[in-house]
Amino acid sequence: MRTVRLIALALLLISLSCFAHAQGKPAGKDALLYFIWPQNGAVIKGGFWCRFGLRNMGVTHAGDDYQNSGHHHLLIDVNEPLNPSEPIPQDKNHLHFGAGQTETRLELPPGKHTLQLVLGDAKHYPFSPPLVSEKITITIK
C-alpha cells in the first residue's frame, strides 16, 4: 500500500513539473516584437494587411516546442493585462496565429482601435516576462 502511494505521489510530482515547464519560459535575449504595418497613428480606409515583425527569436507553429521560438497573437482593443499563468485567450479580440503566420488581413469597423502583439509559446502561454509589442492606435475611416 505504501509503495502504491509513493508511486502515485511520484507521478503527481512529475506531472506538476511538466505543467510548470509549459509556461513561464523566458523569451530570447534581446528579442523584439513589433508591427511592420500599420504604424502608430495610421489612418486607414477599409480593410488592411497587418504585418508582424520579430527579431532575435524564431516563429513556429503552435505545439512546436522549439527553443527560442513562438507564435504571434494579435490583441485588438484589449486593455486588461494578460495573466502569465494562463494561456492567451482566443476570441474576436485575441487572434491566434498558430500556423506561424506573420501577417493577416483585418477588417475593423470605423473608429479608433488599439493593436498589440504578444508572442506565445507552444501552448499559447505568454513568455516570462511577456514579449509584447508597443501598443499602437490606428483609425479606420
Side-chain angles (χ1 to χ4, degrees):
M1 183 63 123
R2 184 169 183 215
T3 304
V4 172
R5 282 190 207 161
L6 287 175
I7 291 172
L9 179 60
L11 290 173
L12 176 66
L13 291 174
I14 289 170
S15 68
L16 287 176
S17 70
C18 290
F19 178 73
H21 287 293
Q23 58 195 9
K25 293 168 101 178
K29 184 177 175 164
D30 300 322
L32 178 66
L33 188 59
Y34 59 96
F35 286 97
I36 297 170
W37 177 256
Q39 295 178 350
N40 191 32
V43 178
I44 302 168
K45 201 177 210 182
F48 63 98
W49 281 95
C50 185
R51 293 187 168 90
F52 322 140
L54 177 63
R55 251 188 245 147
N56 298 321
M57 282 187 75
V59 176
T60 190
H61 293 95
D64 289 346
D65 199 10
Y66 298 118
Q67 186 175 0
N68 204 35
S69 66
H71 65 280
H72 294 288
H73 298 81
L74 176 60
L75 280 50
I76 302 172
D77 298 327
V78 173
N79 293 319
E80 56 279 344
L82 293 173
N83 183 343
S85 63
E86 292 182 6
I88 298 166
Q90 184 168 5
D91 56 36
K92 67 180 181 145
N93 297 97
H94 301 82
L95 304 182
H96 287 234
F97 297 93
Q101 306 97 310
T102 58
E103 65 182 11
T104 189
R105 178 116 176 118
L106 291 177
E107 300 278 342
L108 298 174
K112 285 193 176 207
H113 298 279
T114 61
L115 303 176
Q116 188 170 33
L117 294 168
V118 178
L119 199 69
D121 70 7
K123 298 180 188 264
H124 302 282
Y125 285 87
F127 285 86
S128 180
L131 181 54
V132 298
S133 71
E134 174 185 332
K135 186 181 279 192
I136 64 170
T137 301
I138 61 169
T139 302
I140 305 296
K141 287 197 155 214

